[in-house]
Amino acid sequence: MFLLGVSAIFGYAGAQDVSKANVVTDSKIRNIDGVAAVVNTGYVTRKEIDDRIAALKKQGATLPDDGSLRKMILERLIIEKIQLQNAEQEGIVVTNKELDKIIADIADKNKISVAEFKAKVIASGSTFEKYRQLLRDDVILSRYREREVEGKIKISDAEIDNFISERTRAMNGGGVQRSAPAAKGEPEEIDVAQIFIPIDSSAGVGSQAEAKKKADQLLRDAKGDVDFLQLGAMAAKENPKIKFQDLGYRTPDRLPQLFYEAIRNTGGGQVANIVVKSPAGYHVLKVLDRRAVVTGTNPQPQATPQETSSAAPQNILITQTMARHILLRNRAGLNDQDAERRLAGYRDQVRAKTADFGELAKKFSEDGSASNGGNLGWMGPGDLVPEFEQAMNRLQIGEVSNPVKTEFGWHLIQVLERREAQLTVEKQRQFARAAIRERKFEQAYQDWLRELRDTATVKILNVDDAAASAPR
């Protein structure tokens, strides 16, 4: 838990304020702590690159040995530097009072005092002042991205209607509507879906092999007589870490290069021949459609009245979970340690079959479900707070969780049953809106980063040498 809070120490290299510095020659710049690149009025040092690499090694990440790592990290630092500079110009700031509150919240989530947290930061090899600056930068970056990208995404009712129609056709076996293909040599857009099996950068060889084995099995299944959408949904149901995603129509330059190389010669409705390996994990890809680029406006294909009428709410299914819980509310006289210890005791009794979960909930749960043995009824995606839902989704039927903390207090959770259920009209549209927003955000975010990089003044000086090496 603590590492989640302290990771910000290594997550972002601190922006250095050089706005008041005079313009100097390249030879002088090279001597400022080993500058790797000049970015507008600031710079990225070779030591910042070294720090990122050291942090990755400390986390046990598998790093490439072909010399590309330093260049990749430099590009990431350049983008972060540009964002921080632009955010400053836009007046986005984090006051000391706000920063103190954020640090206090981090310490509280780690169940330690601020003084103890500060001591742990220093023990990790950093100064607390540096940690504060890195954390401040992190928050500024998040706020800037949210304002510049997420806040500008617009979703129309027509897009929602089309999304529902397409998913209904796919789930009924009709597949996604095919478009007119691009003529040879003409620009095109490709609609790609993926099933993503993540791997932890610090995972051992065995875990990575298991992920690869799962990806290979999904690829074999995808090539068989099975609906890709349903295959992805089932894989995600079995393992919540696995994600299914439709990337939407993108021109080749907007697709990850690894993806495009894998599906370059793959036709619409076909699965890529190989599993794609990226630093994040394994990707099973299917080309849903290829079409000619529409010049001018780029409207979504409109559903016909017949297709729209077939998009009845019952045609989109979601996984619902019936669970029960024991809640100990946040209150004076009950600290986190005591609440967690009490719930762990109840958990051990249930696992040892010396007590019934429902009876314990009736006696000790502190919410309205207590009289019903803690039963919450059938719950779908988004019905519960994220911390509770994530913990619940990881449980098998009959399994009891470890104590889970949310804004309401501490919970012990047991899953009773799962089922596929039909979305109501309102829930169906909420689901569609969220899926479209996720798709649009990824594309808009990548476009935004590309624009930031293209409009900045960047001069790369020396990325290959470590900070301790002599400049070239």
Side-chain angles (χ1 to χ4, degrees):
M1 293 287 289
F2 170 74
L3 290 178
L4 295 176
V6 177
S7 62
I9 297 174
F10 305 108
Y12 292 92
Q16 301 187 35
D17 183 8
V18 293
S19 58
K20 299 179 181 179
N22 296 322
V23 176
V24 294
T25 63
D26 287 352
S27 60
K28 290 182 179 179
I29 290 175
R30 289 173 186 265
N31 293 324
I32 305 177
D33 195 23
V35 170
V38 179
V39 183
N40 293 326
T41 58
Y43 52 83
V44 175
T45 69
R46 304 202 308 272
K47 186 177 185 304
E48 289 177 286
I49 301 175
D50 295 344
D51 288 344
R52 287 291 179 94
I53 294 175
L56 290 171
K57 289 180 177 178
K58 187 174 182 180
Q59 295 165 9
T62 302
L63 305 178
D65 55 4
D66 57 1
S68 63
L69 180 62
R70 294 188 69 83
K71 293 181 175 64
M72 291 168 54
I73 292 177
L74 175 62
E75 277 301 315
R76 188 175 303 173
L77 287 166
I78 288 172
I79 291 294
E80 290 172 10
K81 191 76 63 176
I82 296 168
Q83 291 177 73
L84 286 167
Q85 291 170 344
N86 290 357
E88 181 181 6
Q89 293 175 3
E90 295 292 330
I92 299 175
V93 298
V94 176
T95 65
N96 288 332
K97 185 176 181 180
E98 288 179 291
L99 196 61
D100 290 340
K101 176 65 167 59
I102 293 169
I103 291 173
D105 288 342
I106 293 173
D108 183 61
K109 287 179 180 178
N110 286 285
K111 299 187 286 292
I112 58 177
S113 68
V114 172
E116 291 172 321
F117 181 73
K118 181 177 180 179
K120 287 183 178 291
V121 169
I122 296 172
S124 72
S126 176
T127 66
F128 196 65
E129 290 71 21
K130 181 179 179 182
Y131 172 77
R132 284 178 62 88
Q133 184 58 50
L134 297 177
L135 183 59
R136 191 192 302 272
D137 289 346
D138 193 1
V139 177
I140 289 173
L141 285 168
S142 297
R143 291 180 180 178
Y144 182 51
R145 291 166 185 160
E146 181 179 354
R147 192 185 77 173
E148 294 297 312
V149 182
E150 188 169 358
K152 295 180 180 179
I153 293 176
K154 306 297 181 186
I155 301 171
S156 68
D157 288 339
E159 288 178 291
I160 294 174
D161 292 338
N162 289 330
F163 180 94
I164 293 172
S165 296
E166 289 179 5
R167 293 302 163 267
T168 300
R169 280 197 305 273
M171 295 191 77
N172 287 338
V176 178
Q177 180 178 347
R178 299 284 170 248
S179 306
K184 187 174 182 179
E186 293 296 315
E188 70 169 345
E189 292 178 317
I190 310 170
D191 186 5
V192 179
Q194 69 159 328
I195 302 174
F196 171 54
I197 303 91
I199 53 174
D200 190 336
S201 60
S202 61
V205 175
S207 297
Q208 296 192 32
E210 283 297 316
K212 178 62 164 61
K213 181 179 178 181
K214 180 63 176 178
D216 289 338
Q217 180 60 56
L218 287 170
L219 178 61
R220 288 192 293 270
D221 293 343
K223 289 181 176 180
D225 186 19
V226 64
D227 181 87
F228 195 73
L229 176 67
Q230 293 178 343
L231 178 65
M234 288 300 298
K237 180 180 177 181
E238 294 172 3
N239 181 356
K241 291 184 178 180
I242 295 178
K243 303 299 180 186
F244 174 79
Q245 182 184 24
D246 179 356
L247 302 179
Y249 284 98
R250 300 189 186 192
T251 52
D253 63 304
R254 287 180 169 174
L255 282 169
Q257 186 65 28
L258 287 171
F259 286 16
Y260 182 62
E261 292 299 328
I263 55 90
R264 182 192 294 271
N265 299 315
T266 305
Q270 296 180 348
V271 178
N273 289 325
I274 60 171
V275 171
V276 175
K277 171 69 165 61
S278 76
Y282 297 97
H283 310 257
V284 180
L285 306 176
K286 181 173 183 178
V287 176
L288 300 180
D289 195 16
R290 303 181 87 116
R291 71 182 184 189
V293 173
V294 181
T295 57
T297 59
N298 185 21
Q300 296 289 329
Q302 297 297 312
T304 65
Q306 187 175 22
E307 289 168 341
T308 302
S309 64
S310 69
Q314 64 268 25
N315 287 333
I316 289 185
L317 300 178
I318 59 169
T319 299
Q320 288 186 322
T321 303
M322 179 179 286
R324 54 187 179 182
H325 77 146
I326 301 171
L327 169 66
L328 300 181
R329 291 190 179 276
N330 295 319
R331 64 176 188 276
L334 180 68
N335 59 39
D336 285 344
Q337 291 82 357
D338 289 340
E340 192 172 9
R341 185 172 60 253
R342 281 180 56 186
L343 290 179
Y346 302 153
R347 174 203 62 201
D348 293 343
Q349 291 179 53
V350 173
R351 290 178 178 176
K353 301 186 184 305
T354 59
D356 177 76
F357 192 103
E359 292 302 316
L360 291 174
K362 288 180 181 180
K363 292 180 181 178
F364 303 113
S365 188
E366 299 172 354
D367 80 336
S369 69
S371 60
N372 196 30
N375 197 317
L376 298 170
W378 289 104
M379 294 291 172
D383 288 339
L384 300 162
V385 292
E387 299 90 345
F388 190 105
E389 183 173 334
Q390 291 166 13
M392 180 182 72
N393 288 341
R394 288 193 292 266
L395 298 173
Q396 301 296 321
I397 293 175
E399 188 178 0
V400 179
S401 73
N402 292 323
V404 177
K405 187 178 183 182
T406 73
E407 61 190 272
F408 301 105
W410 283 88
H411 310 254
L412 200 65
I413 309 166
Q414 183 181 45
V415 169
L416 300 175
E417 193 176 348
R418 285 194 173 96
R419 70 182 183 187
E420 298 299 311
Q422 301 167 358
L423 283 174
T424 64
V425 174
E426 180 182 358
K427 286 289 185 181
Q428 183 172 319
R429 295 186 73 81
Q430 289 176 1
F431 176 83
R433 183 179 296 276
I436 294 170
R437 177 172 291 278
E438 180 180 352
R439 176 195 301 174
K440 283 192 168 188
F441 178 83
E442 176 62 24
Q443 181 169 323
Y445 180 60
Q446 294 302 325
D447 290 345
W448 178 65
L449 290 182
R450 190 178 298 110
E451 182 181 355
L452 285 178
R453 182 65 170 83
D454 290 344
T455 56
T457 301
V458 178
K459 185 168 186 177
I460 296 176
L461 301 176
N462 181 1
V463 62
D464 296 322
D465 291 332
S469 303
R472 294 177 178 176

